[in-house]
Amino acid sequence: VIETGTYPTAAGLGEFGLIDAIIRRLGDAATAPAVLLGPGDDAAVIAPRGPVAVSIDQLVEGRHFRRDWSSAADVGVKAVGRSLADVVAMGCRPLAIVAGLALPADLPAAWVTEMAGGMADECRRAGAAVVGGDVTRAAVVALAVTALGDAGDTAPVTRGGARPGDRVVLVGRLGWAAAGWAALAAGAPTIDGALAPVVTAHRRPAVTYDAGPALARLGATAMVDVSDGLLADLGHVAEASGVAIDLQRAALPVAPEVAAAAAALDTDPLPWLLAGGDDHGLVATLPPDALAGVADLAGVVIGTVAAGAAVTVDGDRVPGPPGWRHF
Amino acid sequence: VIETGTYPTAAGLGEFGLIDAIIRRLGDAATAPAVLLGPGDDAAVIAPRGPVAVSIDQLVEGRHFRRDWSSAADVGVKAVGRSLADVVAMGCRPLAIVAGLALPADLPAAWVTEMAGGMADECRRAGAAVVGGDVTRAAVVALAVTALGDAGDTAPVTRGGARPGDRVVLVGRLGWAAAGWAALAAGAPTIDGALAPVVTAHRRPAVTYDAGPALARLGATAMVDVSDGLLADLGHVAEASGVAIDLQRAALPVAPEVAAAAAALDTDPLPWLLAGGDDHGLVATLPPDALAGVADLAGVVIGTVAAGAAVTVDGDRVPGPPGWRHF
């Protein structure tokens, strides 16, 4: 492909040119102490201290993001954040990612390198490295990010260990990204003032990477990140653990930014809190005697675990959509 | 989505129904001795013996496969084989895969479960496990498979260690898949007799999983799997190692099946041998005193390493396309 314009496309750079440009843009984000071999060979090689958590997540244009709503760097941040949140929710430390990039031929090459820059920034923030990838052509941008986490000497925290008597603790944001999505979907003419913080949250989740391992050390019995919505994700915990979970409505944190967005959009923020994903806050269950350290993580107790099944709010089943479904 | 037909679609089963059906189809392929936690939680957890090799590869409908040329199970086999070949080419043992599945809403659910069955079969053959995945909607089938390999106590074999005096050894098939693709692309009216073996090879690579670790133990100084074509992939070795590589035309194995396909299609098989990818044979460089064990792997010596740069055949540069480029 011969490129004559000022702004080369992905196809114009070609597979190897694009890969070179991406690796240059990653810079030191391709390295970390545990990385024995970074990008450029058949595979990368890493040396974890303990067992390895692994999870793959996809971000597809038009379904998980829009190029007119999010910058390329935003998309890179989000793709990495949502994948790393899954290994953090096991109590593991972020270690590395590899990314499969399916890209339209006419996508500006600069979009790709800026997206890679967002991936690099988020990996640095998490203490992880971008160690490999693959590029191929597709009709829309589709990113598949596999995250690896290091369990170290801490036993992984599954969804299945919650016990009656445990408390439910939330660390991180709740309802922010859903509020931001609502603002964008409503076509709010200007994104500023009351709406800017939540729209930014929709574009770039503020994943609390340190909190996962910290909750595991405190003795979390179960943990998930909120990706499908609080009710849906706690439903997974209740089912896997064979317990009932009751949330206290009054304990659910409504951040001033979320309240302001609800006022600006003249709506009730509760559905954002209960069914909004994409903030990737962590929800863990802990025995009451393990709660002392939760405040240091800016965690709040939002509910209790009891014998039984299902998730309730102030004792009642909540009707309506349980969260985002991908099909 | 309400499904009324006899044959449910991916969207008809819904995200969680589809995931359940896939996990049921995987059966014991979701487990292995090193797997501490399989599919179903935020992340899987595995316990390798040594450092971990990781690589991601994508297979996109219309670009890497056609649903009218390959069965669903074929596609699953190929997606896993090409990814695991990358960790095997580092000298690592296959450990696990995770798969991102982007699927059209109207894709038959049975196509998805049969594809997962192909993934399961190939993982069993490799001694690996399918430990996780993600499903989302897209216009065409796009699969992203991340492979993990275990280096054990063997140092990973990169592309960069070939030394003058080494010999180039090939283990596995050469030119088979390219011949099969040529047969399908030529619209051969019947795929039988002379063409059936190579068409099957195009659909299902016969990756030699044990050969990667075995070549590493023999003392391979560099190794790649042939995915872009022999000349292109050895070009990567020559560049990374700072050496010249000369192949002997007469030493390149032309399997009877490849020769028969060339005769049936009335063409010269040499381009298939030099530029065909998709068989994922392993090419390694070894010092002459390490060649004794190569015959046990059904390996053949196809060239030599010298001081210099570039890849030649019988001393000559070969013009023409260096292999499959993805952009």
Side-chain angles (χ1 to χ4, degrees), chain A:
Chain A
V1 177
I2 304 298
E3 194 69 24
T4 54
T6 309
Y7 304 105
T9 61
L13 279 193
E15 179 183 4
F16 296 118
L18 198 57
I19 290 171
D20 285 347
I22 290 169
I23 291 177
R24 277 198 307 275
R25 185 65 182 77
L26 294 176
D28 65 1
T31 62
V35 178
L36 303 184
L37 184 69
D41 214 298
D42 287 308
V45 183
I46 55 177
R49 289 193 308 120
V52 174
V54 55
S55 181
I56 190 168
D57 219 341
Q58 298 169 100
L59 209 62
V60 177
E61 180 182 0
R63 186 146 185 88
H64 302 96
F65 70 92
R66 288 171 50 157
R67 272 193 272 154
D68 56 340
W69 283 7
S70 297
S71 75
D74 290 340
V75 172
V77 166
K78 189 167 188 162
V80 166
R82 55 194 263 126
S83 287
L84 284 176
D86 281 325
V87 302
V88 167
M90 305 304 293
C92 296
R93 298 194 63 79
L95 190 56
I97 67 143
V98 294
L101 318 180
L103 308 168
D106 64 355
L107 189 69
W111 194 96
V112 182
T113 51
E114 286 313 297
M115 191 279 295
M119 287 186 161
D121 290 345
E122 191 63 10
C123 274
R124 281 191 198 94
R125 206 171 76 75
V130 184
V131 298
D134 179 55
V135 297
T136 191
R137 203 177 284 197
V140 298
V141 177
L143 310 178
V145 174
T146 296
L148 302 183
D150 191 339
D153 51 13
T154 307
V157 183
T158 70
R159 300 173 173 187
R163 292 167 303 196
D166 285 351
R167 300 296 186 267
V168 180
V169 169
L170 167 74
V171 177
R173 292 175 172 175
L174 189 66
W176 290 54
W181 184 86
L184 290 164
T190 54
I191 300 297
D192 57 11
L195 296 177
V198 295
V199 167
T200 298
H202 163 75
R203 292 173 176 148
R204 298 191 172 214
V207 180
T208 54
Y209 294 113
D210 291 338
L215 286 163
R217 282 192 300 272
L218 287 179
T221 52
M223 184 154 45
V224 284
D225 74 301
V226 180
S227 53
D228 291 333
L230 185 63
L231 289 182
D233 288 305
L234 282 176
H236 300 148
V237 172
E239 187 179 352
S241 299
V243 297
I245 292 175
D246 186 47
L247 298 174
Q248 297 162 266
R249 169 67 186 90
L252 297 179
V254 183
E257 292 84 350
V258 172
L265 295 171
D266 192 22
T267 190
D268 178 0
L270 187 61
W272 298 339
L273 306 183
L274 295 179
D278 276 354
D279 287 307
H280 302 286
L282 295 173
V283 185
T285 55
L286 295 105
D289 61 9
L291 295 175
V294 165
D296 293 340
L297 305 174
V300 290
V301 175
I302 60 172
T304 54
V305 180
V311 181
T312 51
V313 179
D314 292 338
D316 293 324
R317 297 289 288 259
V318 177
W324 175 251
R325 290 179 182 250
H326 299 281
F327 251 100

Side-chain angles (χ1 to χ4, degrees), chain B residues 168-258:
Chain B
V168 180
V169 169
L170 167 74
V171 177
R173 291 174 173 175
L174 189 66
W176 289 55
W181 185 87
L184 289 164
T190 54
I191 300 298
D192 57 12
L195 297 177
V198 295
V199 167
T200 298
H202 163 75
R203 292 173 175 148
R204 300 191 170 213
V207 180
T208 54
Y209 294 112
D210 292 337
L215 286 162
R217 283 192 300 272
L218 287 180
T221 53
M223 183 154 46
V224 284
D225 74 302
V226 180
S227 52
D228 292 333
L230 185 62
L231 288 181
D233 288 305
L234 282 176
H236 300 148
V237 172
E239 187 179 353
S241 300
V243 297
I245 293 175
D246 186 49
L247 298 174
Q248 298 162 263
R249 167 69 186 88
L252 297 178
V254 183
E257 292 84 351
V258 172

Side-chain angles (χ1 to χ4, degrees), chain B residues 8-11 61 67 102-112 141:
Chain B
T9 62
E61 179 181 1
R67 273 194 272 154
L103 308 168
D106 64 354
L107 189 69
W111 194 96
V112 182
V141 177

